[in-house]
Amino acid sequence: MKDLFRLTRGEQRVVIFIVVILVLAAFTQHFLDTKSKPLPARSTSSPTASPTVRPESESDNDDSR
């Protein structure tokens, strides 16, 4: 049982290669998942202003046209 984890140089390389492949696959999966989710839409137009309220004296002038 003491020699359970004693690996030859070739076996060590295979284990390291498999671990590297798994890490790269996990990183790629994470990268693709974060890139494929759309970001919330930003409004490119300026916010609409509320209608301006004119004083009554100005609105009287509009009626006389």
Side-chain angles (χ1 to χ4, degrees):
M1 276 307 246
K2 290 182 180 181
D3 295 333
L4 182 64
F5 294 109
R6 185 171 291 188
L7 302 174
T8 64
R9 187 174 297 276
E11 292 169 335
Q12 290 173 356
R13 289 180 182 159
V14 169
V15 170
I16 290 171
F17 179 75
I18 291 171
V19 169
V20 167
I21 292 297
L22 291 173
V23 169
L24 286 176
F27 177 74
T28 303
Q29 176 94 26
H30 172 72
F31 180 74
L32 292 175
D33 285 346
T34 56
K35 280 291 190 184
S36 65
K37 293 181 182 175
L39 295 175
R42 286 189 182 176
S43 175
T44 55
S45 63
S46 61
T48 57
S50 59
T52 56
V53 178
R54 295 181 185 166
E56 289 184 26
S57 62
E58 286 183 19
S59 63
D60 291 340
N61 293 339
D62 290 341
D63 294 335
S64 62
R65 286 188 205 174

